[in-house]
Amino acid sequence: MGLDIRTLFQRYAKEISNTLRRKGATAENAADLTQEAFLRLLSVGSHTDVDHANPRALLHSIARNLRIDQQRRDRLMLKDDLADQDFAAISDGKPSPETIVIDRQNLAIVAAALAELPDRTRRAFQMHRLGEKTIGQIAGELDLSTTRTWTLIREAYLHVRARLREKA
């Protein structure tokens, strides 16, 4: 990418979050969607040539699509109010034995990858991913800037992703 992700975040995160808020997202939801948009940009950057793309437009597009997907899911949740007997009739969604083995192996890889991280990076990641805290909440608890907090979480995601790719 022509610009690093930190620079892009500093330039466009507030703008994207404000755009999402104007489209009806709550402040917390807009912040989460903005973070997800930047994570998706990282993923897109590893599969495509983003150097020649307009990262600002790409980020806005990703954020808009994430918001649309979320609204669709929200509408479906309202429409799928099942009675108890209908809910019980849904087929068993248990994973296959192969899936269980693969998931356990991946979980072990992720646990080992997290153990390799510096304490603050691991804590920020766990608070975000497992504790479902926002970047702002984590930054406050760790006494860091939101940009630094986001960078720590991104580093953790990249480290875990690299370890999982080594397995494949």
Side-chain angles (χ1 to χ4, degrees):
M1 241 179 271
L3 298 171
D4 70 24
I5 198 73
R6 176 181 287 162
T7 303
L8 291 173
F9 188 82
Q10 289 170 340
R11 284 188 186 171
Y12 304 123
K14 187 172 184 173
E15 176 184 330
I16 291 168
S17 181
N18 288 339
T19 300
L20 290 166
R21 299 234 12 232
R22 282 192 303 275
K23 301 286 184 184
T26 64
E28 188 173 303
N29 186 244
D32 289 343
L33 290 171
T34 299
Q35 295 164 29
E36 183 67 24
F38 279 89
L39 289 172
R40 296 273 174 102
L41 180 66
L42 282 173
S43 176
V44 168
S46 66
H47 294 30
T48 20
D49 184 15
V50 181
D51 287 331
H52 303 293
N54 179 343
R56 178 176 177 244
L58 186 55
L59 282 164
H60 276 279
S61 177
I62 292 169
R64 182 179 60 249
N65 289 338
L66 287 169
R67 176 72 177 146
I68 289 168
D69 289 346
Q70 182 182 57
Q71 288 172 323
R72 285 179 183 150
R73 282 191 307 273
D74 290 348
R75 278 194 303 265
L76 287 175
M77 286 195 309
L78 295 174
K79 291 179 183 177
D80 287 342
D81 191 19
L82 297 175
D84 288 341
Q85 72 248 16
D86 293 334
F87 186 75
I90 295 175
S91 66
D92 186 8
K94 289 182 184 173
S96 69
E98 296 84 10
T99 301
I100 292 171
V101 170
I102 291 169
D103 287 348
R104 285 183 181 161
Q105 289 171 345
N106 286 340
L107 186 58
I109 292 168
V110 169
L114 289 175
E116 296 169 355
L117 292 171
D119 183 55
R120 190 168 56 173
T121 304
R122 182 179 54 255
R123 285 184 53 217
F125 177 84
Q126 288 172 331
M127 291 166 76
H128 177 67
R129 192 71 188 158
L130 304 174
E132 297 182 0
K133 294 187 178 187
T134 65
I135 296 292
Q137 291 169 327
I138 298 166
E141 287 188 37
L142 295 180
D143 196 29
L144 299 170
S145 70
T146 54
T147 302
R148 181 64 184 139
T149 302
W150 190 88
T151 300
L152 291 176
I153 293 168
R154 178 184 56 89
E155 288 171 359
Y157 272 107
L158 292 173
H159 181 73
V160 168
R161 183 184 297 156
R163 291 295 184 252
L164 286 169
R165 284 189 181 140
E166 288 173 3
K167 173 199 169 211

